[in-house]
Amino acid sequence: MTQQSESTTTGTVTTEDADAPAPVSPAPVSPAPVSPAPVSPAPVSPAPVSPAPVSPAPVSPAPLSPAPLSPAPLSPAPLSPLAPPAPPLAEPRPPGERRVWPRTFHDRLTSPLPDLKAFARFAREGSVRPGRDGLADIPLLPFAPAPLPRVDARTIAVSWAGHASWVVSVGGLTVLTDPVWSRRILGTPARITPVGVPWEELPRVDAVVISHNHYDHLDAPTLRRLPRDTPVFVPAGLGRWFLRRRFTRVTELDWWEAAELSGVRFDFVPSHHWSKRSLTDTCHSLWGGWVLTAPDGQRVYFAGDTGYGHWFSRIGQRHPGIDLALLPIGAYDPRWWLSDVHCDPEEAVRATLDLGARRMAPMHWGTFVLSAEPVLEPLTRVRAAWEKAGLDRDDLWDLPVGGARVLE
């Protein structure tokens, strides 16, 4: 599997050990003895070295039971004293730059895609919808639309429209993440909660960020509502989808690349996921999350769609001081089928620690029925995991669909 470079030019990928998509554990080094007695190795440098995190310890998958788990105490991913410090952030690339990309990004997969044997098992025993008992709590799903906060350029605010769609106010810009305002998407039942933010109540949209091309994150009917000169930031290989729809300000980025708009920095960062929109385009475009950094340094991390893994600690090291992490907590059951690409609630809390984020806002639950867990279970489990980790309850922004909050 090709390892990712710190920056790329014209979409060409180079290799570099510092950011391999698979975890690497350094081999222990035994210093050569200089006398019969053991000798401690001399330090490499008198200057302190900021260690980079290695892969977090694997998390035991949650049982396929709606009952809440009692997870082990959570802690951030361990650090390796032998790992080099993270490289500096890349210089922003020109907006709207036309680039040539590889035909496929299969080499960026953290885990293999399901094979025929896995599909056969899924056909025998897999369930993609909860049973009647799991759907019984739909009336209890939190839905409380609130007015969009009116804030200045020095204040961050978020409003949850549902699923992975947020209205983010950062650095004076209004940014939409993975906007899906449609009632139904391909291959799933209709929404089980309404859209939390009416489209007509949105202010002017200054930018849109897209995490990947799955239908529950890239919704053509919603995007048709936008002016075609809206700045759009997308993963490598996805720009042509927007250009065919006559969007004129489309910026494609590779992992660890960035662009700027009105002083706000948009960094595209890795995730544990994949891409597919038709029978013939598997992994033809990249997938990932976004770190939005205001001119004063305040940061919001939008994970998009992701499983749990080593990328969280590396993102946190390159982008220290994340003020708010928007993390997925749903669509995780059955674990043998979904654990590589979707976090469960306990893993989302662990990811918050790995990132070093000060606050977490759960998403990717309570909107579309995409998997077999009971509809209210993600919320009860993430609250239990947050408490188990000993984290401040005020830093868990478990908003209802339509809810909003301002970063004080």
Side-chain angles (χ1 to χ4, degrees), residues 68-116:
L69 298 182
S70 297
L74 302 180
S75 58
L79 302 178
S80 167
L82 301 179
L89 297 179
E91 288 295 319
R93 299 192 69 92
E97 179 183 19
R98 298 295 179 89
R99 305 171 68 180
V100 177
W101 299 106
R103 176 171 173 77
T104 177
F105 293 91
H106 274 88
D107 60 325
R108 308 295 184 87
L109 292 169
T110 338
S111 302
L113 295 177
D115 56 14
L116 291 178

Side-chain angles (χ1 to χ4, degrees), residues 27-408:
V29 179
S30 300
V34 297
S35 68
V39 177
S40 300
V44 175
S45 169
V49 178
S50 300
V54 298
S55 305
V59 178
S60 301
L64 304 182
S65 165
L69 298 182
S70 297
L74 302 180
S75 58
L79 302 178
S80 167
L82 301 179
L89 297 179
E91 288 295 319
R93 299 192 69 92
E97 179 183 19
R98 298 295 179 89
R99 305 171 68 180
V100 177
W101 299 106
R103 176 171 173 77
T104 177
F105 293 91
H106 274 88
D107 60 325
R108 308 295 184 87
L109 292 169
T110 338
S111 302
L113 295 177
D115 56 14
L116 291 178
K117 186 175 180 180
F119 277 105
R121 178 182 175 186
F122 185 77
R124 290 194 311 270
E125 63 185 71
S127 173
V128 294
R129 302 287 182 268
R132 180 178 299 179
D133 291 344
L135 296 172
D137 287 333
I138 287 178
L140 302 179
L141 290 172
F143 177 73
L148 290 171
R150 297 187 179 276
V151 296
D152 59 27
R154 296 170 295 178
T155 305
I156 287 177
V158 294
S159 298
W160 188 33
H163 202 53
S165 302
W166 294 85
V167 183
V168 181
S169 298
V170 55
L173 300 182
T174 297
V175 181
L176 300 186
T177 70
D178 288 358
V180 179
W181 261 250
S182 297
R183 180 174 176 269
R184 185 186 297 272
I185 56 174
L186 184 67
T188 70
R191 284 175 177 263
I192 56 175
T193 51
V195 178
V197 180
W199 186 265
E200 58 273 12
E201 293 184 10
L202 290 174
R204 187 192 68 164
V205 175
D206 297 302
V208 172
V209 296
I210 301 294
S211 64
H212 64 300
N213 70 355
H214 288 163
Y215 282 87
D216 58 323
H217 294 259
L218 179 64
D219 184 52
T222 299
L223 292 165
R224 278 199 295 267
R225 301 185 184 192
L226 292 167
R228 294 304 184 267
D229 62 351
T230 303
V232 182
F233 297 89
V234 304
L238 194 54
R240 57 184 175 267
W241 189 93
F242 285 87
L243 294 174
R244 286 198 302 267
R245 287 157 179 81
R246 300 183 180 180
F247 282 86
T248 59
R249 301 175 67 185
V250 182
T251 301
E252 295 178 276
L253 296 175
D254 204 339
W255 287 348
W256 307 125
E257 291 184 343
E260 282 190 357
L261 178 67
S262 300
V264 176
R265 183 179 169 106
F266 293 72
D267 282 87
F268 188 53
V269 295
S271 69
H272 301 272
H273 207 61
W274 63 304
S275 69
K276 184 180 181 68
R277 201 167 175 86
S278 71
L279 294 176
T280 60
D281 68 349
T282 303
C283 297
H284 284 193
S285 61
L286 200 50
W287 52 91
W290 294 90
V291 177
L292 309 181
T293 305
D296 62 1
Q298 293 187 97
R299 281 184 171 142
V300 176
Y301 166 62
F302 168 67
D305 224 352
T306 181
Y308 178 75
H310 64 284
W311 287 131
F312 292 116
S313 56
R314 298 189 183 184
I315 292 167
Q317 186 189 27
R318 286 175 180 245
H319 300 275
I322 292 172
D323 294 284
L324 175 64
L326 310 175
L327 286 167
I329 66 167
Y332 52 79
D333 192 359
R335 293 310 284 148
W336 68 266
W337 178 256
L338 293 168
S339 63
D340 291 335
V341 294
H342 286 163
C343 288
D344 66 22
E346 292 76 24
E347 290 170 335
V349 174
R350 185 181 292 274
T352 303
L353 296 172
D354 293 350
L355 290 161
R358 298 184 175 100
R359 303 163 190 86
M360 168 192 170
M363 65 174 184
H364 205 272
W365 76 280
T367 307
F368 297 108
V369 178
L370 302 176
S371 56
E373 74 270 6
V375 294
L376 201 55
E377 182 183 282
L379 180 62
T380 59
R381 281 176 55 171
V382 78
R383 287 173 173 172
W386 194 265
E387 180 181 5
K388 186 75 173 179
L391 301 173
D392 190 332
R393 182 62 180 84
D394 288 341
D395 292 335
L396 178 63
W397 289 14
D398 47 349
L399 299 177
V401 176
R405 193 151 178 187
V406 176
L407 185 64
E408 302 294 344

